[in-house]
Short mmCIF file of all heavy atoms in Angstrom, two decimals:
data_model
loop_
_atom_site.label_atom_id
_atom_site.label_comp_id
_atom_site.label_asym_id
_atom_site.label_seq_id
_atom_site.Cartn_x
_atom_site.Cartn_y
_atom_site.Cartn_z
N LEU A 239 -10.42 -2.96 -9.89
CA LEU A 239 -10.79 -4.14 -10.61
C LEU A 239 -12.00 -4.82 -9.93
O LEU A 239 -12.63 -5.60 -10.58
CB LEU A 239 -9.64 -5.03 -10.62
CG LEU A 239 -8.47 -4.64 -11.64
CD1 LEU A 239 -7.39 -5.77 -11.64
CD2 LEU A 239 -8.96 -4.44 -12.96
N PHE A 271 -16.00 1.52 -16.05
CA PHE A 271 -16.06 0.71 -14.83
C PHE A 271 -14.69 0.77 -14.14
O PHE A 271 -14.62 0.37 -12.90
CB PHE A 271 -16.56 -0.76 -15.07
CG PHE A 271 -18.01 -0.68 -15.18
CD1 PHE A 271 -18.59 -1.13 -16.45
CD2 PHE A 271 -18.89 -0.29 -14.17
CE1 PHE A 271 -19.96 -1.24 -16.70
CE2 PHE A 271 -20.35 -0.33 -14.45
CZ PHE A 271 -20.82 -0.82 -15.59
N PHE A 286 -21.88 10.83 2.00
CA PHE A 286 -22.90 10.46 3.00
C PHE A 286 -22.38 9.89 4.23
O PHE A 286 -23.05 9.66 5.27
CB PHE A 286 -23.94 9.70 2.33
CG PHE A 286 -24.89 10.44 1.42
CD1 PHE A 286 -24.67 10.39 -0.05
CD2 PHE A 286 -26.05 11.20 1.96
CE1 PHE A 286 -25.49 10.98 -0.84
CE2 PHE A 286 -26.85 11.90 1.10
CZ PHE A 286 -26.58 11.80 -0.28
N TYR A 304 -13.95 13.05 3.07
CA TYR A 304 -14.59 14.02 2.39
C TYR A 304 -14.67 15.29 3.13
O TYR A 304 -15.04 15.23 4.37
CB TYR A 304 -15.97 13.59 1.91
CG TYR A 304 -16.87 14.61 1.28
CD1 TYR A 304 -16.56 15.23 0.19
CD2 TYR A 304 -17.96 15.12 2.01
CE1 TYR A 304 -17.37 16.25 -0.48
CE2 TYR A 304 -18.90 16.08 1.49
CZ TYR A 304 -18.40 16.66 0.27
OH TYR A 304 -19.25 17.67 -0.28
N LEU A 328 -26.66 1.02 -25.48
CA LEU A 328 -26.71 -0.41 -25.02
C LEU A 328 -27.95 -1.05 -25.33
O LEU A 328 -29.07 -0.54 -25.54
CB LEU A 328 -26.60 -0.36 -23.37
CG LEU A 328 -25.26 0.33 -22.86
CD1 LEU A 328 -25.51 0.34 -21.37
CD2 LEU A 328 -24.08 -0.42 -23.26
N PRO A 349 -29.80 8.36 1.60
CA PRO A 349 -31.21 8.17 1.89
C PRO A 349 -32.03 8.12 0.75
O PRO A 349 -31.60 8.59 -0.37
CB PRO A 349 -31.51 9.36 2.66
CG PRO A 349 -30.21 9.87 3.18
CD PRO A 349 -29.22 9.58 2.20
N ASP A 410 -18.02 1.41 13.30
CA ASP A 410 -19.41 1.59 12.99
C ASP A 410 -20.25 1.50 14.33
O ASP A 410 -21.23 2.29 14.32
CB ASP A 410 -19.76 0.41 12.17
CG ASP A 410 -19.37 0.58 10.73
OD1 ASP A 410 -19.00 1.68 10.33
OD2 ASP A 410 -19.39 -0.36 9.97
N ALA A 432 -17.82 -17.53 5.46
CA ALA A 432 -17.41 -18.79 4.99
C ALA A 432 -18.58 -19.57 4.39
O ALA A 432 -18.43 -20.28 3.24
CB ALA A 432 -16.78 -19.54 6.03
N VAL A 434 -21.47 -18.41 3.09
CA VAL A 434 -21.94 -17.74 1.81
C VAL A 434 -20.93 -17.84 0.72
O VAL A 434 -21.33 -18.25 -0.38
CB VAL A 434 -22.25 -16.23 2.03
CG1 VAL A 434 -22.56 -15.49 0.86
CG2 VAL A 434 -23.27 -16.01 3.11
N VAL A 441 -22.95 -23.15 -6.18
CA VAL A 441 -23.63 -22.67 -7.35
C VAL A 441 -22.85 -22.54 -8.54
O VAL A 441 -23.22 -22.96 -9.68
CB VAL A 441 -24.25 -21.25 -7.10
CG1 VAL A 441 -24.99 -20.66 -8.21
CG2 VAL A 441 -25.32 -21.41 -5.92
N PRO A 447 -17.43 -26.96 -13.17
CA PRO A 447 -16.66 -27.37 -12.00
C PRO A 447 -15.34 -26.49 -11.89
O PRO A 447 -14.96 -26.39 -10.71
CB PRO A 447 -16.29 -28.87 -12.35
CG PRO A 447 -17.41 -29.22 -13.07
CD PRO A 447 -17.82 -28.16 -13.93
N LEU A 480 -5.70 -11.52 -4.09
CA LEU A 480 -6.48 -12.81 -4.14
C LEU A 480 -7.53 -12.77 -5.30
O LEU A 480 -7.64 -13.57 -6.22
CB LEU A 480 -7.19 -13.08 -2.89
CG LEU A 480 -8.04 -14.38 -2.95
CD1 LEU A 480 -7.19 -15.64 -3.41
CD2 LEU A 480 -8.65 -14.54 -1.58
#
Side-chain angles (χ1 to χ4, degrees):
L239 288 180
F271 286 115
F286 285 95
Y304 172 67
L328 298 179
D410 283 344
V434 176
V441 173
L480 176 61

